[in-house]
Amino acid sequence: MNSVFDIINVPLGYLFRGIYMFVGNYGWTIVLFTIIIKLVLVPLNIKQQKSMKKTQALQPRLAKLQEKYAQDKEKLSQETMKLYQEAGVSPMGGCLPMLLQFPILFAMFRFFPASFELRQEGFLWAKDLSGYDSILDLPFNIPLYGDHVSLFALLMGISMFFYSKMNMDQMPQDPNMAGMRGMQLYFMPIFMVVLCNNFSSGLSYYYMLSNIITLIQTWVIRKFFVDEKKLYAQIK
């Protein structure tokens, strides 16, 4: 897996340094860097949103199947897969584009802390983008979290929460999925805040920008690129 991340990191490094030569400020370099990466991933995001809308359109029929075969889980599974096949919907269609983006997300996890260029480079309240951006020193140490509050990490968690909340209405309204929805909405943002509190503020800043841009992208895609009536007609 390391070789995969290295393959991704090399061109990203050239892109990052090229933007800096043009901008001359690492804070704004990260902004443009994030925008370019998100634009490259737009086709995957469109595919993901279309798949989620198709799955949402099937919910009434899935609910009837769950009611009909409540006592026969094996038959329910068979009929559910049959329904997906007849409608031309992949149950993994909404997850696959997201999974394809994970290598880039993990590559960024290695890229920013290892970027020599960010050392001693400040932006906004962060004095050093290669270290954490403490805005409050705590009089005690919290296990895993630390003894300070990193604002970029906190803002990243908040932006992640709102993006997850935006997608809640697109997830299957299955009682069995309640735990997964709760984990996505609450646990993952808190986990990422704890994880990134002691990491590079440049990394938290990138993830925060990525979440905000994805929020905007998702709204635009749903508004202008996903024709719900056409998708529902295809399902019917």
Side-chain angles (χ1 to χ4, degrees):
M1 292 298 290
N2 288 338
S3 60
V4 174
F5 298 140
D6 290 337
I7 291 172
I8 296 174
N9 277 337
V10 170
L12 289 179
Y14 284 119
L15 174 62
F16 188 80
R17 286 185 284 272
I19 296 173
Y20 177 74
M21 290 177 63
F22 177 74
V23 177
N25 177 281
Y26 280 108
W28 289 110
T29 295
I30 294 175
V31 173
L32 293 178
F33 180 76
T34 311
I35 290 174
I36 291 172
I37 291 176
K38 299 306 292 185
L39 287 176
V40 171
L41 296 174
V42 162
L44 285 177
N45 289 334
I46 292 176
K47 183 177 179 64
Q48 179 184 6
Q49 292 302 320
K50 285 184 177 180
S51 181
M52 290 174 70
K53 282 294 183 182
K54 285 182 179 180
T55 304
Q56 187 181 26
L58 286 176
Q59 290 310 303
R61 296 175 66 180
L62 287 171
K64 290 181 179 179
L65 288 178
Q66 290 167 357
E67 182 179 353
K68 183 177 181 180
Y69 300 107
Q71 305 303 320
D72 191 342
K73 299 298 182 181
E74 184 176 351
K75 184 65 174 177
L76 174 61
S77 178
Q78 293 174 353
E79 291 297 320
T80 299
M81 293 307 299
K82 182 180 178 181
L83 176 60
Y84 279 133
Q85 291 173 357
E86 290 176 350
V89 175
S90 170
M92 290 295 293
C95 299
L96 185 58
M98 187 182 300
L99 292 175
L100 292 175
Q101 297 181 46
F102 275 176
I104 294 180
L105 291 175
F106 282 112
M108 294 297 96
F109 201 80
R110 294 183 58 189
F111 176 78
F112 281 103
S115 294
F116 180 80
E117 297 91 340
L118 295 180
R119 295 180 183 178
Q120 305 303 316
E121 293 289 339
F123 184 69
L124 298 178
W125 56 84
K127 298 178 180 179
D128 184 350
L129 288 171
S130 67
Y132 56 78
D133 55 312
S134 175
I135 60 164
L136 177 64
D137 293 327
L138 303 175
F140 49 84
N141 183 74
I142 301 175
L144 301 179
Y145 183 74
D147 58 359
H148 63 274
V149 176
S150 296
L151 184 54
F152 274 134
L154 187 60
L155 293 176
M156 178 272 299
I158 293 172
S159 65
M160 189 175 183
F161 169 81
F162 281 108
Y163 176 64
S164 298
K165 192 172 181 63
M166 185 182 192
N167 284 326
M168 283 295 102
D169 63 332
Q170 306 297 313
M171 294 182 68
Q173 299 302 310
D174 184 347
N176 297 323
M177 298 286 287
M180 184 176 294
R181 290 198 298 271
M183 179 173 290
Q184 180 179 339
L185 186 60
Y186 299 107
F187 175 77
M188 286 306 297
I190 294 174
F191 173 76
M192 288 300 292
V193 170
V194 172
L195 183 65
C196 293
N197 191 62
N198 293 292
F199 281 10
S200 161
S201 56
L203 176 67
S204 300
Y205 178 44
Y206 165 79
Y207 282 152
M208 180 196 73
L209 290 173
S210 181
N211 289 335
I212 293 173
I213 294 171
T214 303
L215 271 167
I216 298 171
Q217 266 187 357
T218 301
W219 182 85
V220 172
I221 289 171
R222 291 180 185 176
K223 185 75 173 179
F224 301 105
F225 292 90
V226 178
D227 190 334
E228 290 191 34
K229 292 183 180 179
K230 184 178 179 180
L231 289 177
Y232 288 173
Q234 289 176 353
I235 293 296
K236 290 180 182 179

